[in-house]
């Protein structure tokens, strides 16, 4: 009798219920979810109501004529739902490719300064080794990377150790010290090294991204200096173009794979004389998130390939240090 009671209390829902719920949560709309999944709106609404009934949770706040928004419980539940759906997808791929235990889809996100340089080659080598895995990679700023990991949108992130919260595990792979970059015609272009004390009074082109601006500002503050952020820019390409055309210097961390801006103007990298706080690049993931086989294989592949990849795209070893030795 006790066993029957226990069975009657078991939560009963399907992967379809979860998938409908996740899409509605991502799109904040039953209508758009139905259009995306090519099903009826009542099917989406019924799946959500069923999940709320069996879990006892209110997953959404309904806004009349303005769609849905996840409740705090809904945000936690959708994170777990995405994990379960990813594992289910991996199981389906595994069943169709018996003999290979690394299959399915893998979603990763990277920081924009180094991701276009390192990651395409890394993905190419990975899918050559594991052809049953489909890798999707996006680029985001640090604040959005952390939020996206919390939301379960990505399994892995390749990023810096900037303000990493305790519930995210971070494995450092490379260390990038800050350095100066000037245009070829800048008065400092022929210098072998330069001091932040010399640079502070000069106009600076700032890569004005969340957390990045705080990091660069902290370098000056550590020496009790006040920089002249004369030209803030929100894209790496614009920073390089402004510097190449003589508007000022900038500070970078990740080494440059090319010393040209998009318009062909030449850039010169100059080490700093001060020993300033470097940024560490590595792989981050949510601690409570159990890795799929594809994600685990990607981390191992990254650890194995980082030396060869870095030496092939970064010519000047003054601007990086490997942490995997």
């Amino acid at each position: 009798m006790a066993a029957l009671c226990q069975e009657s209390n078991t939560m009963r829902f399907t992967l379809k219920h979860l998938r409908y719920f996740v899409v509605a949560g991502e799109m904040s709309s039953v209508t758009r979810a139905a259009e995306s999944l090519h099903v009826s709106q009542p099917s989406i609404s019924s799946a959500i109501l069923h999940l709320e009934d069996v879990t006892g949770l209110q997953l959404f706040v309904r806004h009349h004529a303005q769609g849905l928004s996840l409740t705090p419980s809904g945000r936690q539940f959708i994170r777990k739902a995405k994990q379960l759906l990813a594992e289910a997808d991996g199981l389906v791929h595994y069943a169709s490719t018996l003999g290979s235990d690394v299959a399915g889809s893998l979603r990763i996100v990277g920081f924009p300064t180094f991701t276009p340089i390192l990651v395409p080659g890394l993905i190419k080598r990975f899918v050559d080794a594991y052809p049953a895995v489909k890798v999707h990679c996006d680029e985001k700023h640090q604040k959005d990377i952390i939020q996206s990991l919390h939301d379960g949108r990505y399994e892995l992130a390749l990023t810096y150790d900037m303000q990493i919260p305790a519930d995210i595990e971070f494995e450092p792979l490379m260390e990038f010290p800050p350095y100066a970059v000037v245009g070829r015609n800048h008065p400092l272009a022929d210098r072998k090294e330069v001091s932040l004390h010399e640079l502070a009074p000069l106009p600076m082109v700032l890569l004005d991204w969340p957390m990045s601006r705080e990091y660069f500002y902290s370098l000056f503050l550590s020496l009790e200096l006040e920089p002249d952020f004369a030209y803030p820019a929100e894209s790496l390409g614009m920073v390089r173009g402004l510097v190449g055309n003589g508007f000022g210097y900038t500070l970078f961390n990740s080494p440059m794979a090319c010393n040209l801006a998009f318009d062909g103007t030449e850039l010169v990298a100059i080490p700093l004389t001060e020993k300033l706080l470097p940024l560490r690049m590595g792989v981050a993931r949510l601690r409570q998130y159990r890795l799929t086989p594809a994600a685990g294989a990607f981390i191992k592949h990254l650890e194995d390939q980082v030396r060869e990849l870095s030496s092939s795209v970064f010519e000047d070893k003054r601007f990086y240090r490997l942490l995997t030795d």
Side-chain angles (χ1 to χ4, degrees):
M1 184 67 176
L4 290 174
C5 291
Q6 182 177 3
E7 183 177 354
S8 66
N9 291 330
T10 301
M11 292 184 183
R12 297 179 180 275
F13 52 80
T14 66
L15 293 176
K16 181 183 289 186
H17 288 124
L18 291 179
R19 197 173 303 279
Y20 287 5
F21 158 67
V22 166
V23 176
E26 290 179 333
M27 295 187 167
S28 301
S29 168
V30 169
T31 302
R32 290 200 295 271
E35 292 172 351
S36 174
L37 293 168
H38 304 290
V39 299
S40 66
Q41 293 184 36
S43 297
I44 303 293
S45 299
S46 176
I48 294 171
L49 290 173
H50 180 75
L51 285 174
E52 291 184 324
D53 181 51
V54 298
T55 62
L57 301 172
Q58 181 180 347
L59 300 174
F60 289 105
V61 176
R62 278 77 170 175
H63 306 286
H64 180 65
Q66 294 183 2
L68 308 168
S69 60
L70 288 163
T71 63
S73 296
R75 285 194 293 271
Q76 294 182 50
F77 191 74
I78 199 172
R79 185 185 308 155
K80 287 293 187 180
K82 288 179 180 179
Q83 179 181 356
L84 181 58
L85 289 171
E87 292 174 350
D89 288 342
L91 181 62
V92 171
H93 281 279
Y94 174 72
S96 64
T97 57
L98 288 176
S100 171
D101 59 352
V102 179
S105 60
L106 175 63
R107 294 183 62 86
I108 63 177
V109 61
F111 199 85
T113 55
F114 58 79
T115 294
I117 303 173
L118 286 175
V119 176
L122 179 69
I123 293 177
K124 174 65 167 62
R125 298 182 189 200
F126 180 73
V127 297
D128 284 347
Y130 300 101
V133 179
K134 182 177 181 179
V135 181
H136 177 87
C137 180
D138 290 326
E139 296 176 83
K140 293 182 181 294
H141 301 157
Q142 187 76 348
K143 182 179 179 181
D144 294 331
I145 286 175
I146 292 172
Q147 186 61 53
S148 296
L149 288 176
H150 282 146
D151 291 343
R153 297 180 186 177
Y154 306 97
E155 282 194 77
L156 304 175
L158 300 178
T159 189
Y160 292 127
D161 58 340
M162 292 190 297
Q163 301 183 35
I164 300 290
D167 60 349
I168 290 181
E169 182 177 316
F170 180 81
E171 178 188 349
L173 299 172
M174 301 177 71
E175 189 173 80
F176 296 150
Y179 62 97
V181 179
V182 299
R184 169 49 64 189
N185 295 323
H186 194 280
L188 298 174
D190 294 327
R191 294 280 294 274
K192 298 298 182 184
E193 58 182 14
V194 65
S195 167
L196 215 59
H197 286 82
E198 297 177 79
L199 292 173
L202 304 178
M204 177 178 174
V205 181
L206 173 67
L207 183 58
D208 196 15
W209 291 345
M211 296 192 190
S212 296
R213 73 172 75 91
E214 286 84 356
Y215 166 73
F216 289 125
Y217 190 47
S218 72
L219 299 178
F220 291 95
L221 287 183
S222 69
L223 301 176
E224 299 182 349
L225 298 172
E226 189 67 30
D228 178 11
F229 291 153
Y231 300 100
E234 296 185 0
S235 77
L236 193 59
M238 180 60 75
V239 170
R240 293 170 69 103
L242 289 172
V243 171
N245 282 276
F247 284 89
Y249 74 96
T250 193
L251 297 181
F252 280 171
N253 279 93
S254 56
M256 294 189 298
C258 173
N259 67 341
L260 297 179
F262 289 156
D263 63 358
T265 53
E266 187 177 353
L267 306 173
V268 179
I270 310 173
L272 297 173
T273 57
E274 297 90 353
K275 299 298 182 183
L276 299 169
L277 178 68
L279 287 178
R280 295 184 301 166
M281 184 276 284
V283 58
R285 65 185 182 93
L286 203 61
R287 289 189 185 277
Q288 67 183 42
Y289 199 108
R290 185 172 60 197
L291 289 177
T292 62
F298 188 85
I299 292 176
K300 180 62 167 60
H301 181 79
L302 176 60
E303 294 170 343
D304 293 340
Q305 295 290 323
V306 66
R307 172 181 293 278
E308 186 174 349
L309 278 169
S310 59
S311 62
S312 65
V313 297
F314 299 144
E315 295 183 358
D316 197 330
K317 289 184 170 56
R318 295 177 299 171
F319 302 120
Y320 71 92
R321 184 169 71 90
L322 291 168
L323 301 175
T324 58
D325 295 329

